[in-house]
Amino acid sequence: INKSSLPSANGNDTRSPTCSPDHVLNLEQGDPAVFESYWRKMGDRCTMVISGSQLMSYISDFTNICWFMEPEFEEAVRRLHRVVGNAVVDDRYIVVGTGSTQLYQAALYALTSPGGPEPVSVVSAAPYYSSYPDETDYLCSRLYKWAGDAYEFDKNGTGPYIEVVNSPNNPDGTLREAVVKNRGDEGKLIHDLAYYWPQYTPIIRPADHDIMTFTFSKSTGHAGSRIGWAVVKDKEIARKMSKFIEMCTLGVSKDSQQRAAKIMGLLCDGYQNCKSANKSDDLFFEHTRQIMAERWERLRQVVERNQVFSLPKYPKQYCLFSGELIEPYPGFAWLEAKEEEEIDSQKVLRGSIKVQGRTGRRFGVAEKYVRISLLCNEEEFKEFLERLSTIKSMTSNGH
Ligand code: PMP
């Protein structure tokens, strides 16, 4: 919790603390506050009441491989994917997790077996999501170990491996495919599709991979519910992933699963009940895509004006969901300093305009890159652009 963003105790300062020049603007994490305004507009339509006697059991359905998954949650997940068309769910197993963070670890467990001569190498193409190395090595497992950039592994690596494909990719927003090639059955894949939703990217095809993970955090913005799910082709893999979750946490909060089902249900009702175009601002993906598009337009204006950073350019692609050619609007700005190879962009932003981003080093690339979250609330985003527009150079302090 960022305590400095709370209102001042004496009530004298009428300016919001976010706008105070001393306030450090924390845009390091991808907390999805941007979607709050949509859900506020929905008022009480997702409100649910859970009485003291409900949802008390550990068990949801012993006939399901994932026996702690609420049937209403599974139904809502399948319906959401069918409405959006971003993943194949027919004849696939669904596994619920405490966020997709838990499912990533469950997938590593499921794809490896004890008794191998060496831990299996886990790789992802740089720049990769900064949590993969930490989550992979945190428990010093003998089953698997982080082995870095997948491009390097493709050139020099040997032995069994797991490649994590994050598409669209956090931090740089690109749509990706596996990098390591021609290894027969030595390689296994995990597709982390946290951002494969229409507010961020064109939906170019229904994804159909062996293990795909999704999260409530980035789809609707409800990170606090800690709900994620995996769509899995193989029954034994689904069983092992469920076993891992059973061993870790003996299931996943039913309260959260029920709330997620309710919220996803309302979102889907919007599409199935009101296809009329002039109501589109009430539709979640149209509404939130509009916000992301506006943010990217404002950001590109500032970045182009001050010529200190560059941003990736994304090609327009045909989106099956909207039926239009559209541009990606990623949840993060991946800024590259133009001036010098050696510059530490995170340090300069923190020092000169008190903006906290995450250094490229954490994503396996150079310090001239910095990742800034665009999922913050409007006040923070506005303040970020104002501060960014004052930077004139990365090497002098003449901002
Ligand atoms: N994968 C990616 C690429 C992410 O950006 C995140 C959240 N920052 C996660 C997984 C984890 O999400 P959660 O545990 O909230 O579901």
Side-chain angles (χ1 to χ4, degrees):
I1 302 285
N2 185 351
K3 292 206 174 115
S4 62
S5 67
L6 297 173
S8 73
N10 61 19
N12 289 338
D13 188 356
T14 52
R15 270 161 37 112
S16 157
T18 304
C19 305
S20 148
D22 297 333
H23 173 83
V24 174
L25 205 50
N26 183 354
L27 301 176
E28 186 176 353
Q29 288 83 22
D31 216 6
V34 61
F35 304 131
E36 245 174 64
S37 59
Y38 176 85
W39 295 112
R40 213 172 298 119
K41 229 165 72 115
M42 292 298 110
D44 270 344
R45 289 164 68 189
C46 303
T47 302
M48 60 191 294
V49 177
I50 304 175
S51 74
S53 61
Q54 283 178 299
L55 308 177
M56 291 177 68
S57 166
Y58 286 113
I59 300 141
S60 295
D61 177 6
F62 266 148
T63 66
N64 195 319
I65 284 181
C66 187
W67 56 264
F68 45 81
M69 179 162 63
E70 292 283 271
E72 294 85 350
F73 175 78
E74 177 171 6
E75 253 330 290
V77 162
R78 291 184 190 276
R79 181 178 175 210
L80 181 61
H81 284 301
R82 287 187 187 114
V83 166
V84 176
N86 61 341
V88 173
V89 286
D90 292 337
D91 301 319
R92 301 289 181 272
Y93 298 92
I94 308 291
V95 179
V96 64
T98 298
S100 57
T101 297
Q102 188 178 40
L103 290 159
Y104 173 69
Q105 295 168 51
L108 293 181
Y109 169 81
L111 292 175
T112 52
S113 319
E118 288 288 327
V120 172
S121 299
V122 180
V123 298
S124 187
Y128 42 71
Y129 173 43
S130 47
S131 293
Y132 295 148
D134 299 348
E135 284 167 25
T136 307
D137 283 347
Y138 194 60
L139 290 178
C140 308
S141 171
R142 277 183 284 164
L143 299 175
Y144 47 81
K145 65 166 194 302
W146 178 248
D149 184 8
Y151 288 109
E152 283 302 313
F153 189 85
D154 192 40
K155 276 190 266 164
N156 306 319
T158 54
Y161 71 95
I162 296 169
E163 179 174 351
V164 200
V165 182
N166 183 203
S167 182
N169 188 45
N170 173 2
D172 67 0
T174 52
L175 283 168
R176 289 181 150 191
E177 287 181 9
V179 160
V180 187
K181 298 277 186 290
N182 305 327
R183 299 293 175 99
D185 47 6
E186 279 201 312
K188 310 257 169 71
L189 295 173
I190 300 171
H191 280 78
D192 177 349
L193 305 185
Y195 300 93
Y196 195 45
W197 296 100
Q199 68 268 49
Y200 307 110
T201 182
I203 301 301
I204 53 172
R205 66 179 75 91
D208 188 15
H209 307 285
D210 291 350
I211 304 179
M212 303 187 280
T213 57
F214 293 92
T215 169
F216 198 35
S217 312
K218 310 296 175 175
S219 50
T220 64
H222 295 83
S225 293
R226 308 306 307 125
I227 288 287
W229 63 95
V231 180
V232 180
K233 275 189 190 168
D234 184 82
K235 191 174 183 177
E236 274 322 298
I237 297 290
R239 197 189 303 282
K240 273 186 91 175
M241 288 179 72
S242 302
K243 187 70 189 173
F244 178 90
I245 292 164
E246 182 184 325
M247 291 296 110
C248 281
T249 46
L250 236 182
V252 173
S253 163
K254 284 190 178 182
D255 308 25
S256 281
Q257 291 188 56
Q258 286 291 344
R259 180 162 181 244
K262 174 97 185 182
I263 290 171
M264 291 176 186
L266 185 87
L267 192 161
C268 292
D269 288 347
Y271 286 95
Q272 289 178 330
N273 299 340
C274 98
K275 269 281 173 195
S276 79
N278 51 0
K279 277 269 196 144
S280 73
D281 203 48
D282 280 348
L283 297 174
F284 178 75
F285 294 116
E286 274 68 5
H287 181 97
T288 51
R289 177 167 187 79
Q290 191 54 39
I291 298 176
M292 297 306 292
E294 276 169 23
R295 286 195 175 186
W296 271 91
E297 197 185 326
R298 288 153 72 196
L299 174 69
R300 286 202 190 273
Q301 274 173 13
V302 172
V303 168
E304 265 154 44
R305 211 177 304 127
N306 69 3
Q307 288 295 312
V308 172
F309 289 107
S310 61
L311 282 166
K313 292 198 174 49
Y314 305 105
K316 280 190 174 178
Q317 294 198 62
Y318 185 75
C319 173
L320 293 171
F321 176 72
S322 64
E324 291 171 285
L325 259 186
I326 56 175
E327 241 176 86
Y329 299 116
F332 297 95
W334 183 236
L335 294 166
E336 178 185 359
K338 282 186 169 181
E339 278 176 31
E340 272 184 40
E341 280 300 305
E342 298 294 306
I343 213 118
D344 182 340
S345 293
Q346 175 192 282
K347 206 163 147 199
V348 175
L349 285 188
R350 175 66 197 233
S352 59
I353 58 169
K354 290 200 159 57
V355 168
Q356 183 67 49
R358 186 171 292 173
T359 171
R361 223 181 319 120
R362 294 277 311 279
F363 304 93
V365 295
E367 286 175 345
K368 66 174 174 174
Y369 291 94
V370 61
R371 188 196 75 172
I372 298 288
S373 170
L374 303 181
L375 302 177
C376 51
N377 67 37
E378 175 55 28
E379 190 186 22
E380 289 169 322
F381 184 66
K382 210 165 141 236
E383 181 64 20
F384 166 62
L385 291 187
E386 272 169 30
R387 293 189 192 187
L388 189 66
S389 63
T390 66
I391 295 196
K392 301 279 179 277
S393 152
M394 294 291 276
T395 40
S396 71
N397 286 326
H399 75 271

